[in-house]
Amino acid sequence: MRIGELARRAGVSTRALRYYEQQGLITARRSANGYREYDEDDLRLVAEIRALLTVGFTLADAEPFVACLRAGNATGGSCPESVAVYRRKLTEIDEEIRTLLVRRAEVAAQLAGSCPGCPTGKQGEK
Amino acid sequence: MRIGELARRAGVSTRALRYYEQQGLITARRSANGYREYDEDDLRLVAEIRALLTVGFTLADAEPFVACLRAGNATGGSCPESVAVYRRKLTEIDEEIRTLLVRRAEVAAQLAGSCPGCPTGKQGEK
DNA sequence: CTTGACCTTGACACCGGCGTCAGGGATTAC
DNA sequence: GTAATCCCTGACGCCGGTGTCAAGGTCAAG
């Protein structure tokens, strides 16, 4: 399939696909007229990339997962490099959460000081 | 005082001070030679801006606080506009925390699937 | 032959808060 | 005089993942 079809099926823009290629995450055969040609495996790779991006991974983070899939593994997370990224991302996320919790407490304290009686509870907190 | 002294005392770069001015947060008198001149009140404003930036506010978020101080209030958070920003930031932070918690769970689940037995607990969690 | 839908590469725009360099002028000390 | 240290404005760079426009080539249908 060509880039337009892959884009539609993967739910991304053609711009994004070219960018992934430029970043070395996907490659494309070229037909005689210079058009990029993709197969079902490429769709799989793009789906993996999208899934990772939506949970906050960067394209660089996604690289081991793509390589893992290309190596024939059932999932992109099956390789030790991918597992290492998972763990790093977990610690990064935890760090961000801690930072936000501290900030939240600071802002809530400031609000309480400036506006006694103002509610400062988290939404959805019982 | 001139910009270099204010920068040193406030712990920011001169570039940052010019940027705050460009964004309309602070203003400066000009001496005959065109140099910016600041006073102690300006130092106070910059301190307020820095405090807000470090808890994740943008310069736009900081604007009501600066205005509040300039209006003669004891703290930048004493005005209703500032309180509104406090509350908005609290909901934004809460939203970010929720997003991160969801992501964390997703990543942890993926890791658990790819690497049975791998620890996925939050650091510092008992 | 022409229209239209597809494809190509290249490059600027965005967001935020600056860092940093270029190319000057001002002031003070020696 | 001149060196050192300050100041000025203007403008590009950064980061990440695109959106979007420019200016063209390709191909099938009518």
Side-chain angles (χ1 to χ4, degrees):
Chain A
M1 77 193 89
R2 289 178 308 189
I3 197 170
E5 185 182 347
L6 177 59
R8 270 190 304 277
R9 292 177 61 185
V12 305
S13 66
T14 59
R15 176 71 176 90
L17 293 177
R18 295 195 188 97
Y19 183 64
Y20 300 159
E21 178 177 325
Q22 190 190 338
Q23 299 303 304
L25 287 173
I26 58 178
T27 57
R29 281 160 291 127
R30 295 298 183 122
S31 46
N33 56 18
Y35 289 7
R36 290 172 178 82
E37 273 297 325
Y38 302 94
D39 56 29
E40 298 297 322
D41 291 343
D42 293 317
L43 177 57
R44 179 96 187 268
L45 295 186
V46 175
E48 180 85 12
I49 292 170
R50 294 310 300 183
L52 293 170
L53 285 183
T54 58
V55 293
F57 284 44
T58 66
L59 286 182
D61 291 332
E63 200 276 337
F65 294 80
V66 172
C68 192
L69 276 180
R70 271 203 287 232
N73 294 280
T75 75
S78 304
C79 300
E81 293 81 4
S82 310
V83 170
V85 173
Y86 273 145
R87 307 230 270 203
R88 177 169 53 75
K89 294 307 279 188
L90 273 185
T91 67
E92 288 177 8
I93 293 172
D94 288 344
E95 181 61 31
E96 284 187 65
I97 291 173
R98 270 196 297 270
T99 299
L100 285 175
L101 287 173
V102 169
R103 280 187 193 172
R104 212 212 100 89
E106 290 170 346
V107 174
Q110 286 291 314
L111 172 56
S114 295
C115 178
C118 270
T120 58
K122 270 189 201 174
Q123 301 170 346
E125 207 174 53
K126 59 167 178 288
Chain B
M1 78 191 87
R2 291 177 305 188
I3 197 170
E5 186 181 346
L6 177 59
R8 270 190 303 276
R9 291 179 60 185
V12 305
S13 65
T14 59
R15 176 68 176 92
L17 292 178
R18 294 195 189 97
Y19 182 64
Y20 301 159
E21 179 177 325
Q22 188 190 340
Q23 298 304 302
L25 287 173
I26 58 178
T27 57
R29 283 161 290 126
R30 297 295 183 125
S31 45
N33 56 17
Y35 289 7
R36 290 172 179 82
E37 273 298 325
Y38 301 95
D39 56 28
E40 298 296 321
D41 290 344
D42 293 316
L43 177 57
R44 179 94 188 268
L45 296 186
V46 175
E48 179 85 11
I49 292 171
R50 294 310 301 182
L52 293 170
L53 285 183
T54 59
V55 292
F57 284 44
T58 67
L59 286 180
D61 292 332
E63 199 278 336
F65 294 80
V66 172
C68 193
L69 277 180
R70 272 201 287 229
N73 293 280
T75 75
S78 303
C79 301
E81 293 81 4
S82 309
V83 170
V85 173
Y86 273 145
R87 307 230 272 204
R88 177 170 53 74
K89 294 307 279 187
L90 273 185
T91 67
E92 288 176 8
I93 292 171
D94 288 345
E95 181 62 30
E96 284 187 66
I97 290 173
R98 270 195 298 270
T99 299
L100 285 175
L101 287 173
V102 170
R103 278 186 193 172
R104 211 212 99 89
E106 289 170 347
V107 174
Q110 287 290 315
L111 173 56
S114 296
C115 179
C118 271
T120 59
K122 269 189 202 173
Q123 301 171 344
E125 206 174 51
K126 61 164 177 289

